[in-house]
Amino acid sequence: MNRTVIIALIFIITLPACEKVFMNDAASTDPFVNFDFLWETLDQKYSFFGYKEIDWNEMRTNYRSRIHTGMTEQALFNVLSQMLYELRDGHVNLTTPFDRSRNWDWFLDYPPNFNKNVIDRYYLGKSRRFTGPLANRVIDSIAYIYYDSFAREIKPGHIDFLIQDFAALKGMIIDVRSNGGGSSANSRLLASRFADKSRLVSLRLVKKGPAHDDFYDPLEEYLNPGGPMQFTGPVVVLMNRLSYSATNDFILRMSALPHVTLIGDQSGGGGGIPVDYELPNGWQFRFSTTITLRPDGFNVEHGIPPDFIVELDPRDEIYGIDTIIEFALDFIREGVGGERSQITQ
Amino acid sequence: MNRNTLLIILLTFLVNLLPYSSFADDSKIRCFTAGTGWAHASFHDRSVSPLIYSGSQFAFTTGFVKRAPKVINEVQLGFMHGKLFSAQREVLQAAVSNYRYEIDYSHRRRVWQDTSRNVRVFAGGSWNTLQMSRIHNLYSNSANSSRFVSSLAAQAYGEFGFGLFGRNFLLHAGIDIPFVSFAVRPSYSMAAAEGFIKGEDGLKAFFGSGKFYFPFAFRGLGSQAGLTWFLKNNNAIALEYRWDYFGLDDVNPVQEARHHLVLKAFFNF
């Protein structure tokens, strides 16, 4: 066989061994390596440093001094989670095999304004329906719907059935209190069934570079009518501090509609879309890379204020009364604001 | 058996082959091809993770070869799927489901031959396009990500025909060096490509997200080697090994490599 051919063949077959030269694994359990990686990733991609007026360099100085070679995984986790806590963001978490960091002050610092036991026993009761994930019941010719999590999928048929079934009612109450979020797709789908026309509902800014203020131009997001019919009668959305993330997004969309009224406590916020990533030691973390604004420029990261602030009265709870639901029922009965029950086809 | 051992065994086998005095190289051949095999894929994509993910993949390939004495044209479609793991897989059992679709076209022209030794050398080019989708099992919003890469490459290719135990064999090997690439990748901070973040949709968003990469910003290399056993009626069976690597200096740098071993059948028509 020609020697040149043999040499060429050897070269071609052994070429793949160069792969390890090209690709260097960043896997490491070194505490400094993992701290630096976490800090740098957030420095480049986290979206709320400006809005929350956080001096991230100062955080690095404060917390890196607590890192030392040979520290235990638990100790490293404590330092990293304390640093992440400073971001005051429910969408920032560090997940390890033994714990998950979090900042829950956005709802733990406030009264719950929600009692599931009262709702189950005295409002939904035994005659409730489950239309997909939407527990519902008619109360005094007013539809009451409770949606506990946007992580539970709504199919178009679910909401379309309810829209048609409730067409002639005085109004609708959509209770998303203590709905911690989930899929924005479910949020968009549900809100679309209440849209009377295409409306601008939010502006979204997405990080496009490492500077803290490096964002793409604001992306306009519209709420368009969806499905074969929409409900444009009086609608009340009930909310509390645990109405977070995709629920906050749903409330934002609904707040743009003239026939919708927000009642309860301020929502929990969570206007940034979280993305997931990994540390060199295999721990997983997530953080916000976007900012969501109302069309008037209001930043919804810390929540959306209701039209009417109503809190749950503990004295009412004793008697099985949900103060917020009762306020909403009276609101619809008295016909304050919004159009009367109509179906737009 | 690790990769290096397999390479040594293959090399030893190839080096000990005996040349055959004659090889029918003047015929025109058209073949459909189909093959299945194994691949070992690796990626280091900073839009997904700082860690290298690698693992075994199932591979399937089909295509068409048209061969004349001085020209070889080949189209090949491939599919690859499997799970990839990092060196830290035991921490949280992270895994990436990898789907890879590709279409490759190559055109080679004979530039030299030695009929007494049944050796031919070809030069030409190839157009390689691949679409990769990945699903990270621990991620939520950014779990699904896709990337598209289409490259033009210069190609050198050699063949050596020989006989063994009364059968005709063809030993071939080649190298591809991409010189330009068009790639659509995840954006800086999200799994979606940039065009979709800007509010566009469809093909406009997709192609609007892409960029051209040239040498230094884009590095690629590919090699292949194979042994073909000719059957009756110009049908054949081949064992082929292919390795390819590319790297992009993107906002989130990426490097990918793949070893691919496939048993392929050629159906002449």
Side-chain angles (χ1 to χ4, degrees):
Chain A
M1 190 189 299
N2 185 295
R3 188 169 63 181
T4 306
V5 171
I6 293 176
I7 293 172
L9 196 62
I10 293 172
F11 172 74
I12 287 170
I13 290 175
T14 56
L15 193 61
C18 298
E19 182 178 307
K20 290 197 184 301
V21 175
F22 298 140
M23 298 172 73
N24 291 316
D25 201 348
S28 172
T29 56
D30 185 299
F32 286 101
V33 169
N34 285 278
F35 177 93
D36 290 339
F37 186 87
L38 179 64
W39 185 90
E40 287 167 4
T41 302
L42 289 168
D43 182 55
Q44 293 171 1
K45 298 185 179 181
Y46 184 65
S47 54
F48 287 112
F49 287 121
Y51 173 67
K52 295 181 179 179
E53 298 179 338
I54 296 172
D55 187 338
W56 195 232
N57 288 316
E58 182 182 347
M59 297 297 166
R60 185 175 193 272
T61 303
N62 289 344
Y63 288 96
R64 200 173 193 274
S65 61
R66 307 180 196 185
I67 302 293
H68 59 87
T69 303
M71 66 190 304
T72 64
E73 286 190 335
Q74 182 69 62
L76 174 63
F77 171 79
N78 290 340
V79 174
L80 297 181
S81 59
Q82 286 164 19
M83 183 173 72
L84 296 179
Y85 187 87
E86 304 269 12
L87 297 175
R88 308 189 301 272
D89 193 332
H91 278 147
V92 173
N93 306 99
L94 173 66
T95 302
T96 73
F98 49 85
D99 203 352
R100 185 168 184 251
S101 78
R102 62 211 169 270
N103 183 321
W104 285 352
D105 293 354
W106 44 273
F107 74 93
L108 289 177
D109 285 352
Y110 303 91
N113 286 312
F114 180 75
N115 187 323
K116 187 65 165 45
N117 189 46
V118 167
I119 292 174
D120 279 336
R121 289 179 178 275
Y122 302 104
Y123 290 91
L124 287 173
K126 294 181 180 180
S127 58
R128 76 181 74 184
R129 262 189 327 202
F130 287 106
T131 309
L134 305 172
N136 59 92
R137 182 183 176 186
V138 176
I139 303 172
D140 189 23
S141 297
I142 297 168
Y144 172 79
I145 299 172
Y146 181 65
Y147 188 14
D148 63 349
S149 172
F150 277 94
R152 298 179 63 197
E153 185 186 9
I154 300 178
K155 289 188 167 41
H158 296 149
I159 187 63
D160 291 338
F161 170 80
L162 291 178
I163 295 291
Q164 180 152 24
D165 199 45
F166 297 152
L169 297 182
K170 294 177 187 174
M172 210 180 280
I173 297 173
I174 303 173
D175 192 349
V176 291
R177 288 177 293 170
S178 296
N179 180 329
S183 167
S184 295
N186 289 328
S187 161
R188 284 192 292 273
L189 174 64
L190 182 58
S192 73
R193 297 306 196 266
F194 299 94
D196 55 341
K197 63 178 183 180
S198 179
R199 293 181 183 271
L200 176 66
V201 294
S202 68
L203 304 171
R204 195 180 303 279
L205 292 87
V206 180
K207 283 281 293 186
K208 74 168 185 178
H212 290 182
D213 59 354
D214 209 347
F215 294 91
Y216 290 101
D217 291 338
L219 176 65
E220 294 182 343
E221 296 192 330
Y222 288 81
L223 175 64
N224 300 311
M229 47 188 134
Q230 300 80 37
F231 186 86
T232 55
V235 176
V236 170
V237 174
L238 304 185
M239 51 203 254
N240 65 357
R241 293 282 174 166
L242 202 47
S243 302
Y244 191 75
S245 191
T247 310
N248 194 68
D249 181 65
F250 171 73
I251 293 168
L252 175 62
R253 292 171 181 274
M254 295 294 277
S255 69
L257 303 174
H259 57 284
V260 174
T261 305
L262 308 179
I263 294 175
D265 195 1
Q266 179 162 316
S267 64
I273 296 176
V275 296
D276 305 274
Y277 214 55
E278 286 179 313
L279 290 179
N281 64 2
W283 293 352
Q284 184 216 338
F285 65 103
R286 68 170 192 167
F287 55 96
S288 306
T289 61
T290 69
I291 292 176
T292 303
L293 306 174
R294 254 182 356 204
D296 62 0
F298 176 78
N299 194 321
V300 302
E301 167 64 7
H302 289 138
I304 299 166
D307 297 310
F308 295 92
I309 297 175
V310 180
E311 295 192 341
L312 207 59
D313 190 333
R315 293 167 296 181
D316 289 342
E317 283 183 77
I318 296 172
Y319 295 101
I321 297 171
D322 185 307
T323 319
I324 299 174
I325 293 178
E326 294 299 329
F327 187 97
L329 289 168
D330 289 339
F331 184 86
I332 292 175
R333 288 188 196 107
E334 293 166 16
V336 179
E339 298 297 321
R340 301 308 301 165
S341 177
Q342 293 185 13
I343 292 295
T344 305
Q345 298 200 19
Chain B
M1 180 184 295
N2 65 29
R3 197 163 64 220
N4 290 337
T5 304
L6 189 63
L7 286 171
I8 291 169
I9 290 172
L10 185 62
L11 180 60
T12 305
F13 170 73
L14 294 172
V15 166
N16 285 287
L17 293 173
L18 298 172
Y20 191 65
S21 60
S22 66
F23 171 65
D25 65 341
D26 291 332
S27 58
K28 292 183 181 179
I29 300 172
R30 292 180 309 178
C31 296
F32 283 116
T33 68
T36 185
W38 164 88
H40 185 274
S42 305
F43 76 86
H44 189 197
D45 188 339
R46 286 296 296 265
S47 70
V48 176
S49 171
L51 303 171
I52 294 177
Y53 276 78
S54 63
S56 292
Q57 314 280 287
F58 162 76
F60 173 78
T61 177
T62 185
F64 173 75
V65 177
K66 184 177 180 182
R67 188 188 172 101
K70 293 186 178 180
V71 176
I72 304 174
N73 286 294
E74 183 173 359
V75 175
Q76 190 159 266
L77 283 77
F79 170 73
M80 195 169 75
H81 168 60
K83 282 199 187 299
L84 306 174
F85 306 93
S86 73
Q88 306 286 12
R89 68 181 287 185
E90 297 304 324
V91 177
L92 289 171
Q93 288 75 53
V96 171
S97 290
N98 185 51
Y99 299 84
R100 174 171 170 150
Y101 310 86
E102 61 186 303
I103 178 167
D104 301 321
Y105 168 72
S106 65
H107 176 84
R108 310 174 194 125
R109 289 191 167 269
R110 193 177 73 201
V111 295
W112 177 83
Q113 70 170 350
D114 182 341
T115 52
S116 64
R117 291 189 174 91
N118 294 312
V119 176
R120 287 168 295 281
V121 176
F122 294 77
S126 63
W127 178 23
N128 309 294
T129 299
L130 60 92
Q131 165 74 22
M132 291 174 286
S133 297
R134 301 203 169 106
I135 304 171
H136 197 295
N137 70 331
L138 296 182
Y139 293 0
S140 55
N141 288 327
S142 49
N144 294 359
S145 61
S146 293
R147 60 273 299 145
F148 171 91
V149 181
S150 187
S151 307
L152 293 176
Q155 189 179 79
Y157 177 84
E159 292 182 341
F160 167 62
F162 64 95
L164 189 65
F165 306 122
R167 308 282 185 188
N168 288 335
F169 289 88
L170 182 71
L171 181 65
H172 58 91
I175 186 168
D176 292 79
I177 302 177
F179 54 86
V180 64
S181 176
F182 176 80
V184 179
R185 293 209 4 95
S187 64
Y188 177 76
S189 60
M190 301 189 75
E194 191 175 72
F196 296 98
I197 291 175
K198 290 179 177 177
E200 299 161 353
D201 52 22
L203 291 177
K204 182 181 179 183
F206 181 81
F207 287 106
S209 304
K211 298 175 189 172
F212 284 97
Y213 296 83
F214 299 95
F216 300 114
F218 168 64
R219 301 165 301 282
L221 200 56
S223 70
Q224 56 175 294
L227 182 64
T228 304
W229 172 29
F230 288 94
L231 306 174
K232 294 179 182 178
N233 300 323
N234 280 326
N235 296 324
I237 294 175
L239 182 66
E240 294 184 351
Y241 168 78
R242 184 185 174 100
W243 173 78
D244 47 65
Y245 162 85
F246 80 86
L248 290 175
D249 289 342
D250 190 47
V251 288
N252 293 302
V254 60
Q255 298 175 86
E256 307 222 9
R258 179 189 58 157
H259 301 267
H260 188 189
L261 190 66
V262 64
L263 187 65
K264 186 189 292 186
F266 293 76
F267 302 97
N268 183 44
F269 67 96

